[in-house]
Amino acid sequence: MDEIVIEGGARLKGEVRISGSKNAALPILASTILAPGTSTIYNVPDLIDIKTMGKLLNHLGAKVDIETGRVNVDVTNIKNPEAPYELVKTMRASVLVLCPLVARMGEANVSLPGGCAIGARPINLHLMGLEKMGARVEIEHGYVKVKAKRLRGSRIYLDIPTVTGTENLMMAATLADGTTIIENAACEPEVSDLAEALKKMGARIEGAGENIITIEGVDSLKPINYSVIPDRIEAGTFMVAGAITKGSIKIKDCIPGHFDAVMAKIKETGVEITEEDGGLRVKGVKSPKAVDLKTMPYPGFPTDMQAQMMALMTVAEGMSVITETIFENRFMHVAELKRMGADIKVEGNTAIVHGVPYLSGAPLMATDLRASASLIIAGLAAKGKTTLSRAYHIDRGYEKIEEKLSALGARIKRERE
Ligand code: EPU
C-alpha cells in the first residue's frame, strides 16, 4: 500500500489544471447503458473509481476501453443485468447502473451497498421512485432485484434531494412510457451534466439543475461523444491548499459558478480570490479569519468540502462552528487533525474549532476520500513531516494529487508502505 509523505511549510505557487469531475463522469458512464452502440466520454479523470465503473460495465457485457482522459464504452452486447457485491462494496456509486439496466433490459439485480465510513447511506428513495414507475422491487440475499417490462412515467417526490437517487431516476425516466416529474430533485452541477449527456442521446429533459425535473420518455436513445465538466471539489480543494500555505496559485479550467458557496466562505476568511484569464487566482493571507459553515445540498456549502475547510480553520484566527447536515459520520478527519495539534470539539453534528498558531506533522491514517484531502492540506501547512497511510482513499477521487501539488512547489511524494 502506498503512503503520501509531506514535508510541510512550502508556500504553493504556480498554476494547476482541474481534471474532469468524478461525480459527473460516474453517472455519465453508467448512462451509456441506455444507448446501444459505442459512446465516447472525454475529460474523464484517471481515478480508481473510474476503473471500478469500467470493471462493472465490463461485467455487464460492455466493452470498455480506458485511455488517458477518454473512455469508450460499447454497450451493444449488455446481457448480464447484475452488479455483484465485490464491485458495489468497493464503490457505492456502482448503484448508478440500477436504473439504466432496468430501463434497457427490464430487469436488474444489484447488490445493496452497505453503510460506509461517512454514514448509513441507504438507497430507499431510488427504490421508492422505481416502484412509483411500476417496477417490482424485491430484496433477497443482499441484492435488490428489480423487474419492469416497461417503466411508466410518474410523479416522484424525494424526501431528501439525493444526488445519485435523482440521477438514477432521471435515467430510468428517459425510456419510460409517458412523463416523469421528480420533485425536490438534487440541483448539483453533476445532475445537470448528466442531463446534458442524456439530452445529447435524445432524451427529453427539462429543469435539471432546479428542484423539479420533468422527463418525457422516448422509445430509444443513441450513443454520444461527450465531455465531462471540471471537478468543482478538486478546484475547491486546491483553493484551500493555496490558502492554508499562504501561497498564490492559479486554478485553471474550472467553472467558478459551480462553487460559489465555497468561494464565498474562503473569501470570508480574508483570502483573496480573483478572476484571471482562464482561471481563478487564490492569494493566501498571513492570518485567515475563522468562519462558521453548515453543509447543505447545492447551491449550499458542499459536504465534500467540509473536511478540507476544517483543515484551514484549525490554523485560522478565532473560533469556527462547522455543522455537517448531509452525512451522520463525516468527522473522521477530526481525530487525525487533533493528533497534529488542532483544537477541535465535536458535539453531535457540530465541530467547534479553535484556531491554533500552527499544526505539527504526524503519521496519519486516511479513512475516506475527503478526510484524506483534509489531512494532506493540513500536512502542507504543518511544521515537519506528515505521512498519510492508506493513500488509496485519495486515489479514488483526486487525479495525480502529489504530482499536481509538487508542480505547485509542495514537498510531497508517494512511497510504498
Ligand atoms: N439518502 C437517503 N435515502 C436515499 C438516498 C440518500 O436517506 O435513498 C440520504 C443519505 O444517507 C445522505 C443524504 O440522503 O444522508 C444525501 O445523500 P445523497 O444520496 O445525495 O449522496 P450520494 O448520491 O450517495 C453523492 C456523491 C457524494 C456526495 C453526496 C452529497 C456521487 C457518486 N457521490 O453521493 O460524493 O458527498 O452526493 O453531495 O455523486 C465524494 O465524492 O467524496 C462523495 C461522497
Side-chain angles (χ1 to χ4, degrees), residues 52 59 82-91 94 111 143:
T52 307
H59 179 88
E82 190 209 61
Y85 179 60
E86 288 65 40
L87 291 172
V88 180
K89 79 170 185 220
T90 51
M91 184 183 71
S94 302
S111 170
Y143 278 70

Side-chain angles (χ1 to χ4, degrees), residues 22-23 121-125 162-164 304 326-327 370:
K22 164 179 86 82
N23 288 347
R121 305 180 74 182
I123 58 161
N124 57 310
L125 299 170
T162 157
V163 175
T164 49
D304 290 346
I326 307 294
F327 292 111
R370 307 301 170 188

Side-chain angles (χ1 to χ4, degrees), residues 279-302:
L280 291 168
R281 162 114 0 230
V282 181
K283 262 194 198 157
V285 287
K286 199 161 163 253
S287 317
K289 287 193 289 287
V291 295
D292 295 341
L293 65 92
K294 194 180 215 175
T295 62
M296 299 286 267
Y298 190 84
F301 190 92

Side-chain angles (χ1 to χ4, degrees), residues 205-278:
I205 303 173
E206 267 175 37
E210 293 161 29
N211 54 16
I212 299 181
I213 306 180
T214 306
I215 306 117
E216 200 84 54
V218 295
D219 287 334
S220 63
L221 295 172
K222 56 181 193 313
I224 48 166
N225 289 341
Y226 190 81
S227 185
V228 172
I229 53 169
D231 197 308
R232 65 193 166 103
I233 304 300
E234 190 196 16
T237 302
F238 276 101
M239 281 188 168
V240 177
I244 202 168
T245 61
K246 308 184 198 323
S248 173
I249 62 171
K250 182 170 164 185
I251 317 267
K252 288 192 337 185
D253 294 347
C254 57
I255 302 178
H258 285 175
F259 44 94
D260 283 334
V262 173
M263 286 201 287
K265 277 293 152 189
I266 296 178
K267 282 182 183 168
E268 219 179 297
T269 69
V271 168
E272 263 180 49
I273 303 177
T274 45
E275 292 216 14
E276 209 176 87
D277 57 329

Side-chain angles (χ1 to χ4, degrees), residues 72-368:
N72 274 334
V73 192
D74 176 359
V75 297
T76 312
N77 295 320
I78 291 256
K79 52 186 174 308
N80 171 25
E82 190 209 61
Y85 179 60
E86 288 65 40
L87 291 172
V88 180
K89 79 170 185 220
T90 51
M91 184 183 71
R92 301 179 54 82
S94 302
V95 80
L96 283 162
V97 300
L98 174 66
C99 287
L101 283 173
V102 178
R104 163 116 183 240
M105 304 185 67
E107 61 174 324
N109 191 7
V110 172
S111 170
L112 272 176
C116 85
I118 62 176
R121 305 180 74 182
I123 58 161
N124 57 310
L125 299 170
H126 307 222
L127 303 181
M128 174 279 292
L130 275 169
E131 278 179 329
K132 281 227 145 188
M133 296 176 85
R136 213 175 70 223
V137 177
E138 277 170 14
I139 293 174
E140 230 177 63
H141 309 302
Y143 278 70
V144 51
K145 293 178 185 219
V146 182
K147 280 204 169 124
K149 270 211 179 89
R150 184 163 184 200
L151 293 165
R152 52 169 197 269
S154 178
R155 204 178 182 100
I156 301 166
Y157 172 80
L158 299 175
D159 287 338
I160 302 172
T162 157
V163 175
T164 49
T166 302
E167 292 166 346
N168 238 336
L169 295 171
M170 192 163 71
M171 291 191 276
T174 57
L175 291 177
D177 193 10
T179 306
T180 299
I181 298 173
I182 306 176
E183 293 177 311
N184 199 28
C187 305
E188 270 69 2
E190 294 76 19
V191 175
S192 307
D193 204 33
L194 170 64
E196 287 309 311
L198 292 169
K199 284 201 258 185
K200 209 167 172 197
M201 289 178 185
R204 296 178 59 191
I205 303 173
E206 267 175 37
E210 293 161 29
N211 54 16
I212 299 181
I213 306 180
T214 306
I215 306 117
E216 200 84 54
V218 295
D219 287 334
S220 63
L221 295 172
K222 56 181 193 313
I224 48 166
N225 289 341
Y226 190 81
S227 185
V228 172
I229 53 169
D231 197 308
R232 65 193 166 103
I233 304 300
E234 190 196 16
T237 302
F238 276 101
M239 281 188 168
V240 177
I244 202 168
T245 61
K246 308 184 198 323
S248 173
I249 62 171
K250 182 170 164 185
I251 317 267
K252 288 192 337 185
D253 294 347
C254 57
I255 302 178
H258 285 175
F259 44 94
D260 283 334
V262 173
M263 286 201 287
K265 277 293 152 189
I266 296 178
K267 282 182 183 168
E268 219 179 297
T269 69
V271 168
E272 263 180 49
I273 303 177
T274 45
E275 292 216 14
E276 209 176 87
D277 57 329
L280 291 168
R281 162 114 0 230
V282 181
K283 262 194 198 157
V285 287
K286 199 161 163 253
S287 317
K289 287 193 289 287
V291 295
D292 295 341
L293 65 92
K294 194 180 215 175
T295 62
M296 299 286 267
Y298 190 84
F301 190 92
T303 173
D304 290 346
M305 278 299 301
Q306 177 259 109
Q308 300 89 315
M309 199 65 185
M310 190 185 295
L312 179 60
M313 290 302 99
T314 61
V315 289
E317 210 176 277
M319 184 187 88
S320 160
V321 179
I322 297 181
T323 310
E324 171 59 53
T325 74
I326 307 294
F327 292 111
E328 61 272 25
N329 192 26
R330 214 173 197 186
F331 283 145
M332 304 279 279
H333 42 287
V334 169
E336 298 298 277
L337 289 170
K338 283 167 87 165
R339 298 185 56 251
M340 302 176 85
D343 179 352
I344 310 171
K345 281 188 195 70
V346 173
E347 276 180 28
N349 67 345
T350 299
I352 297 157
V353 187
H354 286 273
V356 294
Y358 64 90
L359 297 175
S360 60
L364 305 173
M365 181 91 83
T367 49
D368 69 78

